[in-house]
Amino acid sequence: MASANSWTLEIASPVAAPRLFRAAVLDWHNLAPKLASHVVASAHPVEGDGGVGSVRQFNFTSVMPFTFTKERLDFLDLDKCECKQTLVEGGGIGVAIETATSHIKVEPAADGGSVAKVETTFKPLPGVEVKDEITKAKESLTAIFKGAEAYLVANPDAYN
């Protein structure tokens, strides 16, 4: 039986923590099809109102190795720009991994910007090697935060 593993990632940004958190995390299902249409074909809420317990689905283009993911919001603290999400369907679930949960926190930086900190814990399926998937996940998360950052820098009144 495979044991749980984890990885971490930190992404610095010149954008203030609350704006980046709202754009790159909470509202990414609305921004992704506009900002990353080459990757995200569409995205929408499946259950809930955006609060804890809500599920949203991302549908991907052919550039991704899977067609969709569904993620559930397990914890949310808007004041601390922090949440936990669990991958509940799609992606590598049942193919490479049994479970995956991400803890995301966007913290203020001394320069007025922020640092997005992500810790993902996952349980690979027995006998499955996931090093390439971890690299791709980190690259994807960096692209999400940097895409939201570029949008927010170009649109200084968005997500205030």
Side-chain angles (χ1 to χ4, degrees):
M1 181 130 184
S3 62
N5 295 287
S6 65
W7 53 264
T8 59
L9 177 66
E10 290 192 10
I11 305 161
S13 173
V15 175
R19 290 182 70 216
L20 188 60
F21 183 71
R22 287 193 298 272
V25 180
L26 298 182
D27 201 41
W28 189 242
H29 61 283
N30 288 317
L31 283 178
K34 298 172 190 168
L35 302 180
S37 60
H38 61 290
V39 178
V40 180
S42 65
H44 61 278
V46 176
E47 294 175 29
D49 60 2
V52 172
S54 295
V55 176
R56 60 186 180 174
Q57 178 171 327
F58 291 85
N59 299 305
F60 300 105
T61 66
S62 60
V63 303
M64 293 294 284
F66 39 82
T67 58
F68 77 99
T69 60
K70 285 185 183 178
E71 60 186 31
R72 181 185 64 238
L73 184 61
D74 296 323
F75 170 81
L76 177 62
D77 186 328
L78 291 172
D79 294 331
K80 292 183 179 177
C81 299
E82 181 177 7
C83 71
K84 289 184 182 177
Q85 301 173 331
T86 299
L87 184 63
V88 294
E89 192 177 338
I93 296 288
V95 178
I97 56 174
E98 189 176 311
T99 60
T101 301
S102 293
H103 178 204
I104 302 166
K105 187 168 187 176
V106 183
E107 299 178 339
D111 63 2
S114 59
V115 178
K117 297 180 177 183
V118 181
E119 180 179 3
T120 296
T121 303
F122 64 97
K123 185 175 180 183
L125 290 171
V128 176
E129 183 61 54
V130 294
K131 285 182 184 171
D132 289 342
E133 286 79 1
I134 292 170
T135 300
K136 290 176 188 172
K138 287 181 177 184
E139 289 170 354
S140 295
L141 274 170
T142 300
I144 287 169
F145 278 97
K146 289 301 179 181
E149 172 188 293
Y151 174 80
L152 293 170
V153 168
N155 296 278
D157 293 331
Y159 295 92
N160 281 322

